[in-house]
Amino acid sequence: MADLEEEVLARIERQRKLRPRFRDDRITMAHGAGGKATHTLVAGLFERAFANEALAELADAARLEVAGLNLAMTTDAFVVRPLRFPGGSIGELAVNGTVNDLSMAGARPVAITASFVLEEGLDADVLRAEAAAMSEAARAADVAVVAGDTKVVERGKADGMYISTSGLGVVDPRAQLSGRSIRPGDRVLCSGYVGDHGTAIMLARGDLDLDADVVSDTAPLWPLAKALLEAVAPALRVMRDPTRGGVATVLNELAADGDVGVVLEEDKVPVRSAVKGACEILGIDPMYVANEGKLLAIVAPDATDAALAALRSASGGEHAALVGEVADQPAGMVLVRTGFGGTRIMDMLIGDPLPRIC
Amino acid sequence: MKFVDEYRDAELARGLGAQIAALAEPGRHYKVMEVCGGHTHTIYKHGIEAHLPESVELVHGPGCPVCVIPMGRVDDGIAIAKRPNVIFTCFGDMMRVPGGDGSLLEAKAEGADVRFVYSPLDALKIARENPDREVVFYAIGFETTAPSTALTLMRAKQEGLKNFSVMCNHVTIVPPLKALLESPDLRLDAFIGPGHVSTVVGCRPYEFIPRDYGQPVVVAGFEPLDLLQSIFMIMRQLSEGRAEVENQYGRVVFWEGNPRALDVLQEVFELRPHFEWRGLGFISQSALSLSDAYADWDAELRYDVPGVRVADPKACQCGEVLKGVIKPWECKVFGTACTPETPIGTCMVSSEGACAAYYNFGRFAKPKARAGA
């Protein structure tokens, strides 16, 4: 019977590894949640439609060689509700989210553009405040907002405002980053407390009647990325920022890219007790909750201590921790060792526990 | 986290695991059913089976409120949700449950105003804030959630809120247990009793199990150490040749339950003569409907619903899974045609469903444990 069980499981794993097809009749909120449905949409529809080499990596930013320069380019849209939340706002999120996508590609952010979709009737002071927040965030991240566009839609067609950005960066010559370079034995590092952003938004909406002292972690990640590149560049395999879909989804993507297993030590992942408590009450696993100022890095084993030290000495990385290890099996999957002494699978996010968080 | 971490201590778990193993008679196989879906979720989430000897097998029971909703009732809900002026509210899990033709989530994408709420009181709030709309709450759950639906209805009545109604799918715990015990294809040794249901109904309703069927019942809490301790208590009963109802969850569950909550249920609900359970078929007096005093808030009376019985898809074996007759992976469509993202059966939808729990958490735990052993 045990053999039969394993046979069934092996068949399922084979099926899971097939390239996804997008077969849905309609777009549901799950397609925007960053988890499995998003992955199916992107890989099954967009990647097929736009097929090219730079896109195929499906990384946070595309790397392009233009006239001898190694550039990184990215784009992002922000539809968060509410527009302001403890620890940040849509404007700040737009700048940081864009520079973080560049940073994770090992690129120093240089310039960003911003398009504003504004709803008729929006209070001009709200827009002024967001412009100020963006300007402040851009200054802090050392990028310029160099172009933009403005559109206005009828009342009721947008929740106040949406922002869409693009970003341009210069790839650090030391960066040799790819999910495919991950090897068994590599270590997984996390730059700090996870789950803050998603939890802060969830509480800020106020429909849960839950209070906790949690603020968004929105922050530029280039200082952390730069510290890692300077300290351990050749041993740095890959970096990702676990936004929508959280740590769980990013680790699944990396396990698939590297065709390796990732074993996460649940107890070692830093989670604030307020976040843990709120998630426990709502029945959400913090590993699936979005972050906007954290990174996961995979490094060769002998670079672990140097990488941790580099993260901890950079701004925003004080609580960095070694959280897991890469194994050869089960390829393409993430296992969690629970604090209770058990083991379980951690799949990509399925469905959408919490829409419109960024 | 205070008051939670204490119940997740790996060292204590190892100790309990060893005590359980010591109580197991060599050569005997023990089948223990955890009735409640919340327990199933805990078992997989924390990897409890890693601490159990191989001779102790946990069988997943019918106590997942989403899993037992038959397809026809989902279709009835969707029919109401699609009415032009309706705001349809339900718990998040319910939205992905497939009916005969799509789920509430798909109805939402097609334009129906479907919103998920954490409490029926949130649905009432939506009704107050939208006086020109009709708000319907799709109530599911055992005696655990029924009192909060009842209180919501009592408040709606007090406030004279006419644009609110409830489609009641509340079920009761004892009738399906009786049906399971009478089922010829399942032989169990003991039950882990549902913790939260018992906060309302108490421990007395399970007394027929040891008395008439000679099997121990231990009402258990939802933290991993609660479950291990309750399994230990079951094994102790079995090794001493006792069969009784015991309460492991004494910090929350009282023997007589919660009389106040039971009174509220009495006032607002009445027993349906029969109700269809997914996979288990019709069970008499196993579900609640609104009493005559609350007929004005009964969505089933207010709206015309198809009310058609829809047969489960042929390939789906949720019924056998719910009865514990087969393990999730033994279902023909498990993990291939039926996955959490495209569920065919209800057991694959809810995080408390045996199939979803096994698919998400359990798949690798067991082969891995064996390989390591």
Side-chain angles (χ1 to χ4, degrees), chain B residues 345-357:
Chain B
T346 46
C347 299
M348 195 51 113
V349 177
S350 168
S351 63
E352 295 188 358
C355 293

Side-chain angles (χ1 to χ4, degrees), chain B residues 25 28 37 45 62 65 75 136 139 155 171 180 259 273 294 314 343:
Chain B
E25 269 173 53
R28 180 171 171 190
K45 180 166 181 217
D75 289 351
V136 180
R155 200 167 289 177
V171 286
L180 275 177
Y294 288 85
K314 276 220 167 54

Side-chain angles (χ1 to χ4, degrees), chain B residues 74-90 95 104 107-116 123 126-127 129-138 162-167 297-305:
Chain B
V74 179
D75 289 351
D76 290 351
I78 291 173
I80 295 175
K82 283 187 170 166
R83 296 175 71 95
N85 201 32
V86 163
I87 299 175
F88 194 85
T89 59
C90 61
M95 294 187 61
L104 282 162
K108 178 174 187 265
E110 285 167 27
D113 191 346
V114 182
R115 306 182 189 179
F116 84 86
I126 295 173
E129 288 164 358
N130 297 275
D132 50 340
R133 303 280 302 274
E134 294 174 55
V135 176
V136 180
F137 177 67
Y138 192 85
K162 293 288 184 198
N163 67 327
F164 178 77
S165 63
V166 168
M167 178 169 171
W297 287 269
D298 191 338
E300 282 176 80
L301 299 176
R302 188 176 294 196
Y303 305 104
D304 216 10
V305 293

Side-chain angles (χ1 to χ4, degrees), chain A residues 5-17:
Chain A
E5 180 175 2
E6 272 161 57
E7 210 174 284
V8 171
L9 297 179
R11 195 179 69 216
I12 292 169
E13 289 323 314
R14 281 197 301 278
Q15 184 142 342
R16 275 163 48 91
K17 282 193 189 140

Side-chain angles (χ1 to χ4, degrees), chain A residues 1-6 8-9 11-13 15-16 24-30 36 202 206-209 266 273 276-277 280-282 284-285 288 329-330 333 335 338-347 350-355, chain B residues 1 4-5 7-10 13-14 44-48 50-51 57 96 105-106 108-110 116 118 122 125 223-225 228 327 329-337 340-342 358-368 370:
Chain A
M1 187 154 120
D3 293 343
L4 186 60
E5 180 175 2
E6 272 161 57
V8 171
L9 297 179
R11 195 179 69 216
I12 292 169
E13 289 323 314
Q15 184 142 342
R16 275 163 48 91
D24 300 341
D25 294 331
R26 271 170 211 279
I27 294 302
T28 67
M29 294 306 283
K36 208 169 248 188
M202 191 153 66
D207 24 272
L208 299 173
D209 275 335
E266 193 171 43
S273 62
K276 233 188 239 182
E280 187 75 31
I281 288 170
L282 299 172
I284 295 172
D285 184 339
Y288 291 92
Q329 288 297 326
M333 296 176 73
L335 292 183
T338 71
F340 195 64
T343 307
R344 65 173 150 91
I345 286 180
M346 192 166 77
D347 206 343
I350 293 163
D352 190 0
L354 185 69
Chain B
M1 213 180 343
V4 173
D5 291 345
Y7 295 98
R8 298 180 180 177
D9 185 292
R14 271 187 282 278
Y44 283 123
K45 180 166 181 217
H46 295 277
I48 285 173
H51 293 291
E57 181 189 351
R96 295 194 298 123
L105 195 67
E106 284 160 313
K108 178 174 187 265
E110 285 167 27
F116 84 86
Y118 272 95
D122 295 343
K125 195 170 146 213
E223 289 301 323
L225 279 181
L228 275 181
K327 293 274 178 187
W329 60 268
E330 290 177 283
C331 172
K332 290 188 287 291
V333 290
F334 175 79
T336 47
E341 51 275 26
T342 53
Y358 183 73
Y359 186 90
N360 286 331
F361 297 145
R363 266 182 298 151
F364 240 83
K366 282 191 104 180
K368 192 79 183 165
R370 268 198 298 275

